[in-house]
Amino acid sequence: MAKNKSLIYIAVSLIAFLVLAFLYSTPVFTGKQLFQHDIVQYRGGAKELIDYRENFDKETYWSDSMFGGMPTYQMGSRFEGDIIKKLDSYLNILPRPVNYLFLLFSGFFLLGMVAVRNWKYALLGATFFGLSTYFYIIIAAGHNGKVNTIEYFAPLLAGILLVYIRKKYVIGFIVTTLFFGLQVAANHPQMTYYLFLGLGFLFISELVRAIKKKVPMKHFLISSGIIAGALIIGVGMNSQRIMANSEYIKETVRGKQVLTNDSHKAGNSGMDKESILMWSYGKLETLNLFIPRLMGGGSQEPEGAAMMEKVQQMVQDNVTSQAEMDRISKGFGSLTYWGDQPGTSGPAYQGAIVCFLALLGFFFAPKKYRYWILGATILTILLAWGSNFMFLSDLFIDFVPFYSKFRAPSSILVVVELLFPLIAIIGLYRFFKSENLDAEYKKKILTYVGGGTLGLTLILILFGKSILGFATENEKLYLPPFLLDYLVDERFNMFRTDAIKALLYVGITVAVLFFALKEKLNQNIALIIIGAVSLFDLWSVNRRYLNDDNYVDKIFAENPFQTEGSDYLAEKVGDNANLQSILASIPVNKTLETIAEKDQKHYRIYNQVLGTTSETNTSYFKSSIGGYHAVKLRRYDDLLNEYIVQPDSVKTPKILNLLNTKYMIFGNPGEPQVVPNPNANGNAWFVSDLKFVNTPNEEIKSIGEIDSKKTAVINASDKSYFDNKQVQADSTATINLTKYEANELEFRSQSKAPQLAVFSEIYYPHGWKVFVDEKEVPYIKADYLLRAVHVPAGNHNIKMIFEPEVIEKGKWISLICFGLFIVLSAFGIYWLNKKKKEATLVEKAV
């Protein structure tokens, strides 16, 4: 009976999560969809991949749509043996973002049930976690892979706790394997990496408990073995993705440096420290876990528009010279964010009540939870400070494996956003339920922590201007007093509003707990009040960053690259800022569409109007030399930094020719100007002169100086390729592209003498195969980042096919590991049932 009752409560909780998720996302009822910046960029960059999939009913693992060409492993490619990813898609079947919210809630509910074995506290903790503001910010931005990964944090931890704490080896193995596999399938390694940095403290805690004989060493060893096996199988089920990405990552900006310059040395692994630490949390800024707009919240807060109008009016009334205007421009940044980061979409707000209860949890929770959660919390906060705590950041970048592969250390706070709700409900549960904590101790801790929290908040409200400043050093240096004073006052008002709310929310919680302690308030009523106030708090803050304005009609969400304007379209757009960007891009999109329709050959476009490395509009219509992607091929990124980001009137055209840039777009979004480039090298060309150089630095420097139509720059390490191979001039030689598909190209050549053919195709050493007259031949890298192959005299058919062996190998490993998971799980369940039946027979016999 009790079991059935518990199942009913669990079912009701899940229904509550579904209702909450839909209530937050009411526009989905009318068919609207989220408009997410990164997903818009994805749709443009992945257009060739998607079209190929639809046309041929199979996958291409290479696309020429962005940055001259790159693997599609990080562009949404699908893997044939990826059963675990199919399961992930079934779990995320609800409309976005209902799917994410529901899984965030329900995943933590499972963790809560494992940690405290009480559905009420699990339900409360699920709202604490599922309403963490950071999740709503990244959903609005379109960081779907990130939130998809985070939604499996809690159930994965639940599985690990089932093994270590609850000694439920079989079910713990199943849960751990399943949700780790799903987390890896979600494909955001950075989030998984950060989670395991935190979970390392759990392992250490369990080891210490075993050494101190709090638990048997045998149990610790068995548990660690089970967890290790689960993690290995979870990785194995994702072998295709992991193996492909591991191969790819070595050739990208996350792999080894190629060039030596002032910021890095060739051979060093990962990104330079400046890139890694660019988004570092300020030390005081960390308090926005408790007060959302301690540093202004986000760069574009709702109050920003009114502040901008006032600032413009004040400047117009007070500034009398261009020199003064120029000085103000130097100091002008975001009106509504004054923290240490270059900019931000919003704060990592955890909730005033959640933070307060987490502090209590560190006093009330059992030691088996308390110390490892405290250690993980401290480490991740210190790492989030990044450049503001260089001692630790240097240590991790230089000595901790893979840490240098990731940027934006501020995002490591997701670990805190998982652990604070957990320690909060564990502490709250013991506050109400534990007989080991006497009332006097509870009262003392509640008084000290509650009084300290309320007192600190009150001090910040009263003396915040002098403590927090509300202005950046740059603003203090360049802005005149009338502007600086205005900004400080407005920002202080924003902060004070949120701080007073935090004071009120914590005050209510303290009062509720005191009344409950004195038995003047029922436990259930206390939980309802705490849950309702916390829900109101987090919900209202989250609506600043993800609200109905983020939803648009389906036509805009699925086709953001509109090419025709109309009064109807303008009316539908209205004052929606997201859609206004679509409207503004129509002239550029129309220009790109016209080029693609009139000239359907294979070439690339240089689009300077929308920002070469920050748009995929071009990629949606035609191959681009630019794009939008965080994991570019290293050599292509080097090329962009050397010649494209800061154009040179002499050298940049040489590079554009090398990349077969047939059209260039200049001007502005409203009036784009198309400039054909008659000097583009074409898809392939023959060279008769070879320039051998010794270093990559010499390679990249030389390609900006040579005539690439006649000369190829070759690294001396490839000199042996030309042993017994001649290259002679032949002015009549021709080579032409006869077939283009994303992963297969064919050329027809004719020459009287042996040639070196250089292709305007990006060199990638894994998976590309070159055939001359159906016979596979070796190829080399030329001109720093292109493919080149020796072609004998005569008429020849040259074919290039992208067939990465890692895909086929990974598929079988993935399938075998998934099969192993099913077999082991089935055997474990069978064994459990057998033991249960045996125990039942023994009871009956007695």
Side-chain angles (χ1 to χ4, degrees):
M1 184 69 179
K3 184 177 180 182
N4 291 336
K5 197 173 181 181
S6 180
L7 289 174
I8 291 171
Y9 288 139
I10 291 171
V12 170
S13 298
L14 293 176
I15 292 170
F17 299 146
L18 200 59
V19 170
L20 275 176
F22 272 107
L23 281 177
Y24 197 94
S25 316
T26 50
V28 301
F29 287 116
T30 61
K32 290 189 174 183
Q33 296 182 9
L34 275 179
F35 186 88
Q36 302 169 292
H37 173 266
D38 278 22
I39 300 306
V40 170
Q41 300 286 30
Y42 158 76
R43 288 186 183 279
K47 182 64 161 55
E48 184 176 44
L49 164 65
I50 294 169
D51 287 348
Y52 185 94
R53 185 184 294 153
E54 291 177 353
N55 293 334
F56 298 99
D57 195 27
K58 60 181 181 179
E59 205 70 9
T60 173
Y61 294 106
W62 185 272
S63 172
D64 200 65
S65 62
M66 293 192 295
F67 300 117
M70 58 194 292
T72 62
Y73 307 142
Q74 293 285 331
M75 293 166 60
S77 57
R78 297 173 182 171
F79 299 94
E80 188 179 344
D82 218 358
I83 299 176
I84 192 71
K85 186 61 181 177
K86 292 176 182 176
L87 180 56
D88 170 68
S89 65
Y90 295 144
L91 289 173
N92 282 278
I93 198 169
L94 293 170
R96 190 184 300 154
V98 177
N99 58 332
Y100 298 142
L101 303 186
F102 176 73
L103 288 174
L104 287 167
F105 289 135
S106 55
F108 194 92
F109 183 79
L110 173 61
L111 175 59
M113 290 296 289
V114 170
V116 299
R117 290 184 283 195
N118 185 298
W119 71 271
K120 299 172 189 176
Y121 294 87
L123 176 62
L124 183 64
T127 61
F128 287 169
F129 175 71
L131 289 169
S132 299
T133 299
Y134 179 70
F135 305 155
Y136 295 75
I137 292 168
I138 60 177
I139 288 171
H143 299 170
N144 293 348
K146 183 180 287 187
V147 72
N148 189 195
T149 302
I150 294 169
E151 69 191 20
Y152 297 126
F153 272 20
L156 170 60
L157 178 54
I160 295 173
L161 293 182
L162 278 168
V163 176
Y164 273 130
I165 306 297
R166 300 298 177 204
K167 298 183 181 180
K168 303 290 185 181
Y169 298 140
V170 173
I171 190 66
F173 166 80
I174 294 172
V175 173
T176 302
T177 307
L178 175 63
F179 286 105
F180 182 63
L182 287 167
Q183 188 175 132
V184 175
N187 200 28
H188 203 292
Q190 182 175 7
M191 293 297 99
T192 301
Y193 181 86
Y194 287 161
L195 174 64
F196 275 87
L197 281 181
L199 294 185
F201 284 88
L202 173 57
F203 175 81
I204 294 170
S205 172
E206 289 302 301
L207 175 60
V208 170
R209 290 178 69 213
I211 292 171
K212 289 186 173 183
K213 298 183 179 180
K214 300 290 183 181
V215 295
M217 180 61 75
K218 181 181 178 181
H219 162 68
F220 170 75
L221 295 174
I222 291 172
S223 298
S224 298
I226 289 171
I227 296 299
L231 299 182
I232 290 169
I233 294 174
V235 167
M237 291 191 291
N238 288 275
S239 290
Q240 268 186 301
R241 177 179 295 99
I242 291 173
M243 290 172 66
N245 281 316
S246 296
E247 186 178 78
Y248 172 56
I249 210 77
K250 296 172 186 176
E251 309 300 327
T252 72
V253 292
R254 308 297 172 93
K256 288 185 178 181
Q257 306 280 354
V258 175
L259 301 175
T260 298
N261 55 37
D262 294 338
S263 62
H264 54 253
K265 182 179 179 181
N268 287 350
S269 183
M271 298 174 285
D272 59 82
K273 288 185 180 180
E274 183 180 355
S275 299
I276 294 170
L277 302 175
M278 186 173 291
W279 268 268
S280 297
Y281 237 57
K283 293 176 181 177
L284 273 177
E285 191 175 3
T286 311
L287 287 174
N288 68 14
L289 287 163
F290 179 71
I291 301 173
R293 291 193 291 192
L294 185 95
M295 293 292 179
S299 302
Q300 302 294 330
E301 289 288 313
E303 292 85 348
M307 289 174 67
M308 177 59 75
E309 287 184 15
K310 181 66 175 177
V311 166
Q312 289 174 339
Q313 186 61 51
M314 293 174 72
V315 169
Q316 186 176 336
D317 293 342
N318 293 276
V319 176
T320 57
S321 69
Q322 184 61 44
E324 191 176 0
M325 190 68 233
D326 291 342
R327 183 177 177 82
I328 290 173
S329 298
K330 290 180 181 179
F332 211 76
S334 168
L335 293 175
T336 57
Y337 174 72
W338 53 93
D340 290 354
Q341 300 177 82
T344 178
S345 298
Y349 183 54
Q350 184 62 68
I353 290 176
V354 180
C355 289
F356 170 66
L357 290 177
L359 290 177
L360 287 181
F362 288 120
F363 292 95
F364 294 145
K367 291 180 181 179
K368 61 185 176 184
Y369 289 107
R370 189 190 309 174
Y371 293 130
W372 77 263
I373 291 178
L374 180 62
T377 297
I378 292 172
L379 176 68
T380 50
I381 286 176
L382 295 180
L383 286 174
W385 290 350
S387 58
N388 297 308
F389 198 63
M390 282 304 298
F391 165 74
L392 187 64
S393 295
D394 279 336
L395 193 67
F396 269 69
I397 291 170
D398 294 338
F399 298 106
V400 177
F402 308 115
Y403 189 80
S404 64
K405 305 291 183 185
F406 308 115
R407 62 191 181 101
S410 58
S411 60
I412 200 174
L413 288 175
V414 293
V415 178
V416 178
E417 288 155 349
L418 170 69
L419 298 182
F420 266 28
L422 178 59
I423 195 70
I425 63 166
I426 293 173
L428 194 61
Y429 178 80
R430 290 200 80 216
F431 178 85
F432 282 112
K433 299 288 189 179
S434 177
E435 296 178 358
N436 296 325
L437 300 176
D438 60 62
E440 196 58 37
Y441 176 78
K442 294 177 186 178
K443 181 180 178 181
K444 183 175 71 171
I445 296 301
L446 186 56
T447 301
Y448 289 159
V449 175
T453 304
L454 292 170
L456 176 62
T457 308
L458 188 60
I459 289 171
L460 289 174
I461 292 172
L462 296 175
F463 306 104
K465 278 191 179 181
S466 57
I467 296 172
L468 301 174
F470 298 99
T472 66
E473 293 301 318
N474 202 51
E475 289 169 342
K476 293 175 184 177
L477 182 63
Y478 291 108
L479 296 185
F482 71 88
L483 268 184
L484 194 61
D485 291 344
Y486 169 75
L487 287 180
V488 169
D489 287 342
E490 290 297 310
R491 290 168 172 178
F492 176 67
N493 288 336
M494 289 171 58
F495 156 77
R496 183 171 56 188
T497 299
D498 283 359
I500 290 173
K501 290 178 181 178
L503 189 74
L504 177 63
Y505 300 148
V506 173
I508 292 172
T509 305
V510 171
V512 165
L513 294 179
F514 264 117
F515 282 123
L517 193 59
K518 292 179 179 291
E519 298 183 351
K520 293 183 178 180
L521 194 65
N522 179 273
Q523 176 199 153
N524 291 337
I525 299 299
L527 293 178
I528 290 171
I529 293 172
I530 291 171
V533 175
S534 176
L535 181 67
F536 175 79
D537 172 27
L538 287 164
W539 191 288
S540 59
V541 171
N542 294 348
R543 296 296 288 183
R544 298 172 185 169
Y545 309 105
L546 180 63
N547 51 55
D548 291 356
D549 290 341
N550 295 89
Y551 295 83
V552 299
D553 289 341
K554 184 177 179 180
I555 186 173
F556 294 120
E558 296 187 351
N559 184 19
F561 303 104
Q562 298 286 324
T563 58
E564 299 291 344
S566 66
D567 292 338
Y568 172 76
L569 190 65
E571 182 181 344
K572 294 290 287 183
V573 168
D575 58 357
N576 188 306
N578 291 317
L579 294 183
Q580 285 172 353
S581 65
I582 291 181
L583 211 60
S585 298
I586 286 177
V588 177
N589 294 340
K590 183 62 178 177
T591 299
L592 291 166
E593 182 184 58
T594 301
I595 293 172
E597 287 177 350
K598 289 185 176 179
D599 189 345
Q600 298 184 16
K601 295 179 180 179
H602 177 51
Y603 53 85
R604 298 188 184 93
I605 296 175
Y606 172 46
N607 188 345
Q608 198 182 52
V609 173
L610 298 178
T612 307
T613 60
S614 58
E615 61 89 22
T616 60
N617 297 59
T618 307
S619 302
Y620 185 83
F621 296 98
K622 204 68 181 178
S623 297
S624 173
I625 72 159
Y628 181 84
H629 204 280
V631 193
K632 298 186 285 291
L633 289 171
R634 168 72 73 185
R635 285 180 176 265
Y636 201 91
D637 189 63
D638 291 340
L639 188 84
L640 290 172
N641 293 329
E642 184 76 17
Y643 293 109
I644 305 299
V645 174
Q646 295 180 332
D648 178 279
S649 59
V650 175
K651 295 179 180 179
T652 300
K654 291 177 179 286
I655 304 304
L656 295 178
N657 293 341
L658 200 68
L659 296 173
N660 191 25
T661 309
K662 200 171 180 181
Y663 298 95
M664 301 174 289
I665 303 178
F666 301 103
N668 59 70
E671 296 180 349
Q673 300 172 7
V674 180
V675 179
N677 179 24
N679 299 316
N681 287 18
N683 301 110
W685 58 95
F686 286 132
V687 295
S688 55
D689 297 328
L690 307 179
K691 181 179 180 179
F692 291 99
V693 296
N694 295 314
T695 67
N697 283 65
E698 292 178 60
E699 287 180 70
I700 199 167
K701 181 175 181 293
S702 297
I703 60 175
E705 300 169 346
I706 62 166
D707 178 356
S708 59
K709 293 183 179 70
K710 298 178 180 178
T711 304
V713 178
I714 310 292
N715 193 283
S717 61
D718 285 321
K719 200 168 188 178
S720 59
Y721 177 78
F722 296 95
D723 291 347
N724 303 316
K725 293 186 182 76
Q726 293 183 336
V727 175
Q728 299 176 9
D730 179 3
S731 60
T732 65
T734 60
I735 181 169
N736 296 297
L737 179 69
T738 57
K739 176 186 176 182
Y740 171 78
E741 289 177 8
N743 57 3
E744 183 176 343
L745 301 91
E746 290 188 19
F747 301 84
R748 189 67 187 170
S749 73
Q750 179 179 330
S751 63
K752 298 176 182 176
Q755 305 285 310
L756 180 69
V758 179
F759 302 86
S760 187
E761 300 295 331
I762 304 303
Y763 176 85
Y764 184 72
H766 313 289
W768 276 106
K769 297 178 181 179
V770 180
F771 300 85
V772 175
D773 298 331
E774 304 301 323
K775 180 182 178 182
E776 186 174 357
V777 298
Y779 63 97
I780 60 170
K781 176 176 76 281
D783 295 335
Y784 193 69
L785 80 173
L786 300 182
R787 296 171 222 157
V789 65
H790 184 266
V791 181
N795 298 333
H796 299 284
N797 185 67
I798 303 166
K799 181 186 291 187
M800 292 182 175
I801 302 176
F802 190 59
E803 293 179 339
E805 295 178 2
V806 71
I807 299 297
E808 191 64 19
K809 290 180 181 177
K811 181 182 79 172
W812 288 108
I813 297 174
S814 295
L815 292 172
I816 290 169
C817 286
F818 191 86
L820 182 62
F821 167 60
I822 297 298
V823 169
L824 289 175
S825 298
F827 175 77
I829 293 170
Y830 168 78
W831 181 79
L832 280 179
N833 287 332
K834 183 179 178 182
K835 296 289 285 184
K836 188 177 179 180
K837 288 178 181 178
E838 290 175 354
T840 303
L841 290 173
V842 169
E843 286 179 8
K844 287 181 178 180
V846 172

